[in-house]
């Protein structure tokens, strides 16, 4: 049988026992209570111990000094084996036998596992979108991603030079295959043949006009 021990200050402890089928046990200073507590800090109808699924709880009935656990006032205190609470200034100790704890433990319903859809078990975890900076913190990316105008000009010029060099090399190889001579040498020889000799006189411009 559950055991409740009431200890009024400067008095001997008073133990009380009852069966597990007892639904309510009223405690207070009034004579109509199941457990009468003769102490000035206890109200006439102070608290009630109630049977709940899996055990008991102590509920305050609007008393003046309340019910306390570890110095803090509570409206409802779930009772467990070995718990000591205060009803006003009176100690209230609650104990159970091993058999009673077993019987109360069987009353607690087991927590059911959640029901999960099969497609949720196979679905990949959703990817988180990259965090976007606040509007006030956004910076233009054009200068970091695009080259400057000067750099663009030099890159274009370099590309044209490389393209011209590649074209000239290809032309030289083709000319050498067809003629057996170097394109540079033929160009030099051709230039020398077309240039006027140093001793050649300039063509006669005719007689000077008369005044």
């Amino acid at each position: 049988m559950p055991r409740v021990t009431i200890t009024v200050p400067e008095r001997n402890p008073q133990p009380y026992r009852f069966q597990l089928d007892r639904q309510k046990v009223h405690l207070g200073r009034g004579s109509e209570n199941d457990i009468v507590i003769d102490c000035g800090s206890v109200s006439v109808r102070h608290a009630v111990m109630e049977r709940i699924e899996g055990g008991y709880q102590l509920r305050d009935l609007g008393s003046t000094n309340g019910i306390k656990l570890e110095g803090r006032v509570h409206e409802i205190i779930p009772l467990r084996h070995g718990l000591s609470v205060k009803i006003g200034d009176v100690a209230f100790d609650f104990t159970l036998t091993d058999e009673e704890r077993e019987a109360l433990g069987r009353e607690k319903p087991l927590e059911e596992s959640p029901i999960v859809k099969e497609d949720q078990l196979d679905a990949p975890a959703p990817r988180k979108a990259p965090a976007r900076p606040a509007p006030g913190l956004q910076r233009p990316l054009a200068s970091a991603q695009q080259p400057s105008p000067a750099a663009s000009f030099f890159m274009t010029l370099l590309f044209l030079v490389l393209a011209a060099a590649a074209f000239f090399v290809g032309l030289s190889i083709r000319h050498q295959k067809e003629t057996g001579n170097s394109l540079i040498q033929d160009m030099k020889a051709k230039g020398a043949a077309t240039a006027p000799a140093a001793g050649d006189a300039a063509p006669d411009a005719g007689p000077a006009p008369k005044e």
Side-chain angles (χ1 to χ4, degrees):
M1 293 186 292
R3 180 177 181 179
V4 172
T5 302
I6 303 296
T7 305
V8 178
E10 300 180 357
R11 296 187 188 178
N12 294 329
Q14 297 294 321
Y16 298 87
R17 286 190 176 275
F18 51 91
Q19 299 291 339
L20 284 176
D21 59 356
R22 181 77 185 228
Q23 297 300 311
K24 292 186 178 181
V25 177
H26 288 84
L27 304 100
R29 199 173 68 249
S31 59
E32 69 277 7
N33 290 285
D34 300 305
I35 297 178
V36 178
I37 304 175
D38 186 12
C39 181
S41 65
V42 178
S43 298
V44 175
R45 295 182 70 253
H46 197 109
V48 58
M49 187 170 63
E50 299 172 322
R51 181 78 157 85
I52 59 175
E53 189 174 27
Y56 289 87
Q57 67 180 15
L58 186 65
R59 181 166 58 88
D60 183 61
L61 295 177
S63 64
T64 302
N65 296 312
I67 56 177
K68 302 173 187 176
L69 176 62
E70 297 178 352
R72 297 182 61 181
V73 177
H74 297 268
E75 183 179 350
I76 295 176
I77 299 176
L79 298 175
R80 62 179 184 274
H81 172 70
L83 188 67
S84 180
V85 302
K86 284 291 187 70
I87 299 178
D89 295 332
V90 176
F92 173 98
D93 298 317
F94 181 78
T95 57
L96 297 167
T97 63
D98 293 340
E99 292 78 9
E100 289 165 348
R101 277 183 282 175
E102 260 183 53
L104 293 176
R106 289 193 294 269
E107 292 181 1
K108 294 182 181 180
L110 297 176
E111 294 184 1
E112 295 183 356
S113 59
I115 300 174
V116 182
K117 291 183 179 179
E118 289 185 358
D119 55 354
Q120 292 179 356
L121 295 175
D122 300 330
R127 295 182 179 179
K128 294 184 179 179
R132 294 184 178 179
L137 300 178
Q138 291 181 353
R139 296 181 179 178
L141 301 179
S143 60
Q145 296 179 354
Q146 297 180 358
S148 62
S152 299
F153 173 76
F154 284 113
M155 290 175 63
T156 303
L157 183 61
L158 179 61
F159 175 77
L160 292 176
V161 170
L162 292 175
F167 175 77
F168 183 77
V169 170
L171 190 62
S172 298
I173 294 173
R174 181 178 178 182
H175 180 79
Q176 188 172 9
K177 285 183 179 180
E178 291 178 354
T179 63
N181 298 324
S182 173
L183 177 61
I184 297 177
Q185 292 177 354
D186 288 351
M187 290 176 65
K188 287 182 179 180
K190 196 174 191 180
T194 57
D200 292 346
D204 188 6
K210 295 181 179 181
E211 293 182 359

